[in-house]
Amino acid sequence: MNSILRLYHNTVHYSKYTKEKKILQERKIGNSTGKKIQKMALKETFYISHGSPTLAIDETIPAWKFLTSWKEVFPHRPSAILVISGHWDTSVPTVNVVNHNETIHDFGGFPRSMYKLKYPAPGAPKLAKRVKELVEASGLSRVDEDKKRGLDHGTWVPLMLMYPEADIPVCQLSVSSNKDGTYHYNLGKALAPLKDEGVLIIGSGSATHNLRAMAPRGSPTPAWASAFDSWLKESVVEGRYDDINHYEEKAPYAKVAHPWPDHFYPLHVAMGAAGENSKAKVVHESWDGGAFSYASFGFTAAS
Protein backbone atom coordinates (compact mmCIF):
# COMPACT_ATOMS: atom_id res chain seq x y z
CA MET A 1 0.00 0.00 0.00
CA ASN A 2 2.85 2.41 0.87
CA SER A 3 4.29 1.97 -2.61
CA ILE A 4 0.93 2.99 -4.11
CA LEU A 5 0.72 6.08 -1.95
CA ARG A 6 4.32 7.06 -2.78
CA LEU A 7 3.56 6.63 -6.46
CA TYR A 8 0.47 8.76 -6.09
CA HIS A 9 2.24 11.61 -4.26
CA ASN A 10 5.18 11.53 -6.68
CA THR A 11 2.92 11.74 -9.70
CA VAL A 12 1.02 14.67 -8.20
CA HIS A 13 4.28 16.61 -7.67
CA TYR A 14 5.48 15.69 -11.16
CA SER A 15 2.16 16.71 -12.67
CA LYS A 16 2.50 20.23 -11.24
CA TYR A 17 5.74 20.63 -13.17
CA THR A 18 4.42 19.14 -16.41
CA LYS A 19 1.17 21.08 -16.14
CA GLU A 20 3.01 24.40 -15.73
CA LYS A 21 5.28 23.49 -18.65
CA LYS A 22 2.29 22.62 -20.83
CA ILE A 23 0.53 25.90 -20.00
CA LEU A 24 3.64 27.86 -20.99
CA GLN A 25 3.93 25.91 -24.24
CA GLU A 26 0.26 26.48 -25.06
CA ARG A 27 0.54 30.18 -24.33
CA LYS A 28 3.57 30.39 -26.58
CA ILE A 29 1.79 28.58 -29.40
CA GLY A 30 -1.35 30.65 -28.99
CA ASN A 31 0.57 33.92 -28.95
CA SER A 32 2.60 33.01 -32.03
CA THR A 33 -0.35 31.89 -34.14
CA GLY A 34 -3.03 34.17 -32.81
CA LYS A 35 -5.48 31.27 -33.02
CA LYS A 36 -7.55 29.60 -30.36
CA ILE A 37 -6.21 26.17 -29.44
CA GLN A 38 -8.66 23.46 -30.55
CA LYS A 39 -9.63 20.59 -28.30
CA MET A 40 -9.07 17.15 -29.80
CA ALA A 41 -12.31 15.40 -30.70
CA LEU A 42 -12.73 11.93 -29.23
CA LYS A 43 -14.59 8.96 -30.65
CA GLU A 44 -14.54 6.64 -27.62
CA THR A 45 -16.67 6.22 -24.52
CA PHE A 46 -16.15 3.61 -21.80
CA TYR A 47 -17.90 1.60 -19.15
CA ILE A 48 -15.61 0.63 -16.27
CA SER A 49 -16.45 -1.92 -13.58
CA HIS A 50 -14.90 -0.31 -10.51
CA GLY A 51 -15.54 -3.09 -7.99
CA SER A 52 -14.45 -2.73 -4.39
CA PRO A 53 -13.12 0.59 -3.00
CA THR A 54 -9.92 -1.27 -2.03
CA LEU A 55 -9.10 -1.43 -5.72
CA ALA A 56 -7.38 1.90 -5.08
CA ILE A 57 -4.68 0.26 -2.95
CA ASP A 58 -4.83 -3.49 -3.59
CA GLU A 59 -2.47 -4.53 -6.37
CA THR A 60 -3.68 -8.13 -6.13
CA ILE A 61 -7.13 -7.31 -7.54
CA PRO A 62 -6.83 -8.31 -11.21
CA ALA A 63 -8.41 -5.08 -12.47
CA TRP A 64 -5.72 -3.00 -10.74
CA LYS A 65 -3.19 -3.70 -13.49
CA PHE A 66 -5.74 -2.92 -16.17
CA LEU A 67 -6.53 0.50 -14.74
CA THR A 68 -2.93 1.43 -13.96
CA SER A 69 -2.14 0.64 -17.61
CA TRP A 70 -5.05 2.72 -18.82
CA LYS A 71 -3.01 4.94 -21.11
CA GLU A 72 -2.17 1.88 -23.17
CA VAL A 73 -5.91 1.41 -23.73
CA PHE A 74 -6.67 5.09 -24.28
CA PRO A 75 -3.55 7.18 -25.00
CA HIS A 76 -5.34 10.48 -25.63
CA ARG A 77 -5.52 13.25 -23.07
CA PRO A 78 -9.10 14.49 -22.69
CA SER A 79 -9.99 18.11 -22.08
CA ALA A 80 -12.21 16.98 -19.20
CA ILE A 81 -13.80 13.81 -17.84
CA LEU A 82 -17.50 13.20 -17.29
CA VAL A 83 -18.23 10.22 -15.03
CA ILE A 84 -21.66 8.69 -14.63
CA SER A 85 -21.32 6.89 -11.31
CA GLY A 86 -23.53 4.17 -9.89
CA HIS A 87 -22.94 5.67 -6.45
CA TRP A 88 -24.94 8.82 -7.15
CA ASP A 89 -28.61 8.04 -7.58
CA THR A 90 -31.15 10.87 -7.87
CA SER A 91 -34.71 11.14 -9.14
CA VAL A 92 -33.63 13.79 -11.66
CA PRO A 93 -30.27 13.91 -13.52
CA THR A 94 -27.91 16.02 -11.45
CA VAL A 95 -24.43 17.41 -12.09
CA ASN A 96 -21.89 18.61 -9.56
CA VAL A 97 -21.01 22.21 -10.31
CA VAL A 98 -17.82 22.88 -8.32
CA ASN A 99 -14.43 24.45 -8.92
CA HIS A 100 -12.63 21.89 -6.78
CA ASN A 101 -13.67 18.30 -6.14
CA GLU A 102 -13.65 17.03 -2.59
CA THR A 103 -13.01 13.29 -2.12
CA ILE A 104 -16.09 11.53 -0.74
CA HIS A 105 -15.38 8.39 1.30
CA ASP A 106 -18.82 6.89 0.83
CA PHE A 107 -18.15 3.46 2.33
CA GLY A 108 -17.70 1.84 5.70
CA GLY A 109 -15.76 -0.96 7.34
CA PHE A 110 -12.58 -0.58 5.30
CA PRO A 111 -8.95 -0.05 6.43
CA ARG A 112 -8.25 3.37 7.93
CA SER A 113 -5.82 4.13 5.15
CA MET A 114 -8.74 4.19 2.71
CA TYR A 115 -10.20 7.24 4.44
CA LYS A 116 -6.98 9.19 4.03
CA LEU A 117 -6.87 8.84 0.26
CA LYS A 118 -7.52 12.01 -1.70
CA TYR A 119 -8.09 12.63 -5.38
CA PRO A 120 -7.91 16.44 -5.71
CA ALA A 121 -8.99 16.76 -9.33
CA PRO A 122 -10.23 20.19 -10.35
CA GLY A 123 -13.94 20.56 -10.91
CA ALA A 124 -15.45 21.19 -14.33
CA PRO A 125 -18.24 23.75 -13.84
CA LYS A 126 -18.33 24.71 -17.53
CA LEU A 127 -18.71 21.06 -18.47
CA ALA A 128 -21.48 20.68 -15.89
CA LYS A 129 -23.36 23.58 -17.43
CA ARG A 130 -22.82 22.07 -20.90
CA VAL A 131 -24.22 18.73 -19.73
CA LYS A 132 -27.28 20.50 -18.39
CA GLU A 133 -27.70 22.42 -21.64
CA LEU A 134 -27.50 19.30 -23.81
CA VAL A 135 -29.83 17.14 -21.74
CA GLU A 136 -32.46 19.82 -21.33
CA ALA A 137 -32.27 20.69 -25.04
CA SER A 138 -33.00 17.03 -25.84
CA GLY A 139 -36.30 17.30 -23.98
CA LEU A 140 -35.46 14.24 -21.89
CA SER A 141 -35.44 15.88 -18.48
CA ARG A 142 -34.53 18.91 -16.50
CA VAL A 143 -31.09 18.75 -14.88
CA ASP A 144 -30.42 19.84 -11.33
CA GLU A 145 -27.17 21.31 -10.04
CA ASP A 146 -25.36 20.27 -6.88
CA LYS A 147 -22.86 22.97 -5.93
CA LYS A 148 -21.29 21.13 -3.00
CA ARG A 149 -20.86 17.49 -4.00
CA GLY A 150 -17.40 16.16 -4.80
CA LEU A 151 -16.38 12.79 -6.23
CA ASP A 152 -17.71 9.51 -4.83
CA HIS A 153 -15.59 6.37 -4.89
CA GLY A 154 -17.22 5.18 -8.10
CA THR A 155 -15.34 8.04 -9.72
CA TRP A 156 -12.16 8.67 -7.75
CA VAL A 157 -11.12 5.04 -7.19
CA PRO A 158 -10.75 4.19 -10.89
CA LEU A 159 -9.48 7.67 -11.80
CA MET A 160 -6.79 7.47 -9.12
CA LEU A 161 -5.34 4.53 -11.05
CA MET A 162 -6.14 5.77 -14.56
CA TYR A 163 -5.06 9.40 -14.14
CA PRO A 164 -3.04 9.55 -10.89
CA GLU A 165 -1.87 13.09 -11.62
CA ALA A 166 -5.39 14.33 -10.80
CA ASP A 167 -4.90 17.28 -13.14
CA ILE A 168 -7.82 16.79 -15.54
CA PRO A 169 -11.12 18.52 -14.66
CA VAL A 170 -13.80 16.05 -13.60
CA CYS A 171 -17.58 16.35 -13.49
CA GLN A 172 -20.08 13.80 -12.21
CA LEU A 173 -23.56 13.04 -13.51
CA SER A 174 -26.01 10.97 -11.49
CA VAL A 175 -28.10 7.98 -12.51
CA SER A 176 -31.81 7.65 -11.79
CA SER A 177 -32.89 4.21 -10.62
CA ASN A 178 -36.53 5.28 -10.92
CA LYS A 179 -36.03 5.28 -14.72
CA ASP A 180 -35.15 2.42 -17.11
CA GLY A 181 -32.32 1.40 -19.40
CA THR A 182 -33.76 3.13 -22.47
CA TYR A 183 -34.00 6.39 -20.55
CA HIS A 184 -30.31 6.21 -19.67
CA TYR A 185 -29.40 5.24 -23.23
CA ASN A 186 -31.19 8.37 -24.45
CA LEU A 187 -29.42 10.36 -21.74
CA GLY A 188 -26.16 9.18 -23.28
CA LYS A 189 -27.35 10.14 -26.78
CA ALA A 190 -27.94 13.67 -25.56
CA LEU A 191 -24.35 13.82 -24.29
CA ALA A 192 -22.78 12.56 -27.54
CA PRO A 193 -21.63 16.05 -28.73
CA LEU A 194 -19.28 16.23 -25.74
CA LYS A 195 -16.94 13.78 -27.49
CA ASP A 196 -16.31 16.38 -30.19
CA GLU A 197 -15.34 18.80 -27.43
CA GLY A 198 -12.64 16.48 -26.13
CA VAL A 199 -14.62 15.18 -23.14
CA LEU A 200 -14.03 11.59 -22.08
CA ILE A 201 -17.34 10.01 -21.04
CA ILE A 202 -17.04 7.13 -18.57
CA GLY A 203 -19.80 5.08 -17.06
CA SER A 204 -18.61 3.62 -13.75
CA GLY A 205 -20.49 0.69 -12.25
CA SER A 206 -20.17 -3.08 -12.13
CA ALA A 207 -21.00 -5.73 -14.72
CA THR A 208 -22.54 -7.77 -11.90
CA HIS A 209 -23.45 -6.20 -8.57
CA ASN A 210 -25.07 -8.39 -5.97
CA LEU A 211 -23.49 -7.53 -2.62
CA ARG A 212 -25.19 -10.44 -0.88
CA ALA A 213 -23.33 -12.82 -3.17
CA MET A 214 -19.90 -11.56 -2.10
CA ALA A 215 -17.52 -14.43 -1.32
CA PRO A 216 -13.84 -14.82 -0.39
CA ARG A 217 -11.31 -14.17 -3.13
CA GLY A 218 -10.71 -17.22 -5.25
CA SER A 219 -14.23 -18.53 -4.77
CA PRO A 220 -15.77 -20.12 -7.86
CA THR A 221 -18.00 -17.95 -10.02
CA PRO A 222 -21.70 -18.83 -9.51
CA ALA A 223 -23.53 -20.12 -12.57
CA TRP A 224 -25.92 -17.18 -12.60
CA ALA A 225 -23.07 -14.64 -12.62
CA SER A 226 -21.24 -16.43 -15.40
CA ALA A 227 -24.42 -16.68 -17.48
CA PHE A 228 -25.25 -13.00 -17.10
CA ASP A 229 -21.67 -11.91 -17.77
CA SER A 230 -21.45 -14.02 -20.93
CA TRP A 231 -24.77 -12.67 -22.20
CA LEU A 232 -23.64 -9.11 -21.49
CA LYS A 233 -20.30 -9.40 -23.29
CA GLU A 234 -21.90 -11.04 -26.32
CA SER A 235 -24.68 -8.45 -26.46
CA VAL A 236 -22.25 -5.53 -26.21
CA VAL A 237 -19.80 -6.81 -28.82
CA GLU A 238 -22.61 -7.76 -31.22
CA GLY A 239 -24.18 -4.33 -30.86
CA ARG A 240 -27.47 -5.59 -29.45
CA TYR A 241 -28.00 -2.38 -27.54
CA ASP A 242 -31.78 -2.65 -27.54
CA ASP A 243 -31.50 -5.99 -25.76
CA ILE A 244 -29.26 -4.36 -23.16
CA ASN A 245 -31.76 -1.52 -22.78
CA HIS A 246 -34.35 -4.18 -21.95
CA TYR A 247 -32.00 -6.43 -20.02
CA GLU A 248 -34.61 -7.23 -17.36
CA GLU A 249 -36.51 -9.27 -19.96
CA LYS A 250 -33.62 -10.34 -22.20
CA ALA A 251 -30.77 -11.29 -19.86
CA PRO A 252 -30.49 -14.51 -17.83
CA TYR A 253 -30.60 -13.93 -14.08
CA ALA A 254 -30.94 -10.17 -14.58
CA LYS A 255 -32.49 -9.51 -11.17
CA VAL A 256 -29.89 -11.66 -9.42
CA ALA A 257 -26.98 -9.98 -11.18
CA HIS A 258 -28.42 -6.53 -10.49
CA PRO A 259 -30.97 -6.49 -7.66
CA TRP A 260 -30.83 -2.70 -8.07
CA PRO A 261 -29.93 -1.09 -11.42
CA ASP A 262 -27.73 1.77 -10.22
CA HIS A 263 -24.45 0.07 -11.18
CA PHE A 264 -25.77 -1.06 -14.57
CA TYR A 265 -27.26 2.17 -15.89
CA PRO A 266 -23.86 3.85 -16.38
CA LEU A 267 -23.34 1.28 -19.15
CA HIS A 268 -26.45 2.50 -20.95
CA VAL A 269 -25.22 6.09 -20.82
CA ALA A 270 -21.82 5.13 -22.25
CA MET A 271 -23.51 3.14 -25.04
CA GLY A 272 -25.85 5.97 -25.93
CA ALA A 273 -23.08 8.56 -25.96
CA ALA A 274 -21.14 6.47 -28.49
CA GLY A 275 -24.04 6.25 -30.93
CA GLU A 276 -26.26 3.61 -32.50
CA ASN A 277 -23.72 2.30 -35.00
CA SER A 278 -20.77 2.35 -32.64
CA LYS A 279 -18.34 -0.54 -32.45
CA ALA A 280 -17.85 -2.11 -29.04
CA LYS A 281 -15.19 -4.29 -27.50
CA VAL A 282 -14.30 -5.85 -24.18
CA VAL A 283 -11.32 -3.91 -22.80
CA HIS A 284 -11.00 -5.96 -19.62
CA GLU A 285 -12.48 -9.04 -17.97
CA SER A 286 -11.73 -10.53 -14.57
CA TRP A 287 -13.50 -11.72 -11.42
CA ASP A 288 -13.17 -11.04 -7.73
CA GLY A 289 -15.17 -12.00 -4.66
CA GLY A 290 -16.70 -14.93 -6.48
CA ALA A 291 -19.60 -13.19 -8.19
CA PHE A 292 -18.18 -9.77 -9.07
CA SER A 293 -17.36 -9.29 -12.74
CA TYR A 294 -14.96 -6.50 -13.64
CA ALA A 295 -15.92 -6.71 -17.32
CA SER A 296 -15.32 -3.30 -18.90
CA PHE A 297 -16.16 -2.07 -22.37
CA GLY A 298 -15.04 0.49 -24.91
CA PHE A 299 -17.32 2.01 -27.53
CA THR A 300 -16.08 3.76 -30.66
CA ALA A 301 -18.41 6.02 -32.61
CA ALA A 302 -19.05 5.22 -36.26
CA SER A 303 -17.10 7.34 -38.74
Side-chain angles (χ1 to χ4, degrees):
M1 183 190 74
N2 289 335
S3 63
I4 302 299
L5 294 178
R6 284 199 300 271
L7 172 62
Y8 174 64
H9 289 303
N10 288 342
T11 52
V12 169
H13 289 306
Y14 177 72
S15 72
K16 292 180 180 178
Y17 166 75
T18 54
K19 186 176 182 181
E20 291 172 356
K21 184 177 180 181
K22 182 179 179 183
I23 290 173
L24 290 173
Q25 289 175 335
E26 290 179 343
R27 286 176 178 172
K28 185 176 180 181
I29 293 172
N31 290 338
S32 64
T33 63
K35 297 180 180 179
K36 185 178 179 180
I37 298 171
Q38 297 296 316
K39 297 174 182 177
M40 181 183 68
L42 304 178
K43 295 178 70 67
E44 301 87 350
T45 67
F46 294 91
Y47 173 72
I48 303 296
S49 290
H50 63 253
S52 168
T54 55
L55 177 63
I57 61 173
D58 190 348
E59 300 178 30
T60 65
I61 296 176
W64 186 90
K65 184 176 181 180
F66 158 62
L67 291 174
T68 54
S69 303
W70 175 251
K71 290 170 186 176
E72 297 176 11
V73 177
F74 185 74
H76 313 293
R77 179 182 171 87
S79 61
I81 301 172
L82 174 65
V83 180
I84 301 87
S85 170
H87 287 280
W88 192 14
D89 193 348
T90 60
S91 59
V92 174
T94 307
V95 286
N96 70 325
V97 187
V98 297
N99 291 314
H100 174 76
N101 281 303
E102 297 295 332
T103 304
I104 304 173
H105 300 92
D106 52 334
F107 44 74
F110 288 88
R112 290 184 180 179
S113 58
M114 289 292 302
Y115 302 91
K116 297 179 181 179
L117 295 177
K118 303 290 183 183
Y119 189 75
K126 290 183 179 179
L127 172 57
K129 297 287 188 180
R130 180 70 171 133
V131 169
K132 179 174 182 175
E133 175 188 16
L134 289 170
V135 175
E136 292 186 342
S138 75
L140 184 68
S141 173
R142 82 169 194 268
V143 175
D144 288 347
E145 299 180 15
D146 189 321
K147 298 184 178 180
K148 295 182 179 180
R149 186 181 176 90
L151 304 179
D152 61 56
H153 81 269
T155 295
W156 66 261
V157 165
L159 289 186
M160 180 174 283
L161 303 179
M162 298 160 71
Y163 297 101
E165 301 85 1
D167 61 352
I168 299 175
V170 180
C171 174
Q172 271 200 217
L173 172 64
S174 66
V175 297
S176 299
S177 289
N178 59 323
K179 307 295 184 181
D180 60 13
T182 300
Y183 173 91
H184 286 84
Y185 181 80
N186 289 330
L187 178 62
K189 287 176 65 176
L191 300 173
L194 294 176
K195 301 194 305 297
D196 292 334
E197 299 166 21
V199 176
L200 176 58
I201 300 172
I202 299 174
S204 178
S206 188
T208 57
H209 193 252
N210 187 331
L211 296 178
R212 292 187 177 183
M214 186 178 296
R217 181 166 299 168
S219 298
T221 302
W224 62 262
S226 180
F228 182 89
D229 186 68
S230 295
W231 173 88
L232 177 60
K233 287 185 284 194
E234 291 173 3
S235 299
V236 168
V237 172
E238 293 173 6
R240 293 190 278 115
Y241 298 162
D242 192 59
D243 284 357
I244 300 171
N245 286 344
H246 299 91
Y247 75 98
E248 300 99 326
E249 296 85 28
K250 301 289 186 177
Y253 304 103
K255 197 65 176 178
V256 183
H258 288 279
W260 198 248
D262 52 1
H263 276 57
F264 203 48
Y265 285 162
L267 169 64
H268 296 84
V269 181
M271 287 193 314
E276 293 181 6
N277 298 314
S278 63
K279 300 296 182 182
K281 62 181 179 181
V282 179
V283 294
H284 176 74
E285 51 186 331
S286 64
W287 293 87
D288 194 34
F292 283 82
S293 169
Y294 279 82
S296 299
F297 306 101
F299 303 88
T300 302
S303 300

